[in-house]
Amino acid sequence: MKVRVDLDKCVGHGRCYVLAPDVFGDDEHGRCVLKCEAPPPELEAQARLGEENCPEGAIQVMADDAS
Ligand code: SF4
């Protein structure tokens, strides 16, 4: 699994790093910082939770073989 965050879309709601703190963190402005670009299996559920709950659609989770 790969995770991407489009920082042009991120406005700093903070839902991702509250719900999935092992995959997402925050910078000094409250915007998302990706902690883990390639989550191991035990963090995949957190990555998906972040994607599903970002109101801006800024988080994208892809299979490993996606480009
Ligand atoms: S939930 Fe979305 S908009 Fe909010 S901080 Fe995370 S990536 Fe940014």
Side-chain angles (χ1 to χ4, degrees):
M1 171 189 278
K2 286 186 264 183
V3 181
R4 285 189 190 151
V5 177
D6 183 345
L7 292 175
D8 289 335
K9 291 183 179 175
C10 175
V11 296
H13 295 289
R15 296 183 67 165
C16 58
Y17 49 82
V18 169
L19 292 168
D22 297 323
V23 179
F24 307 100
D26 62 317
D27 68 11
E28 65 272 22
H29 303 294
R31 291 193 181 174
C32 180
V33 174
L34 188 56
K35 286 181 166 178
C36 188
E37 287 181 31
E42 62 270 24
L43 293 182
E44 289 186 356
Q46 277 200 40
R48 287 200 185 90
L49 198 60
E51 179 185 42
E52 289 163 8
N53 284 279
C54 175
E56 306 304 322
I59 298 171
Q60 192 182 9
V61 171
M62 296 155 287
D64 276 328
D65 52 6
S67 55

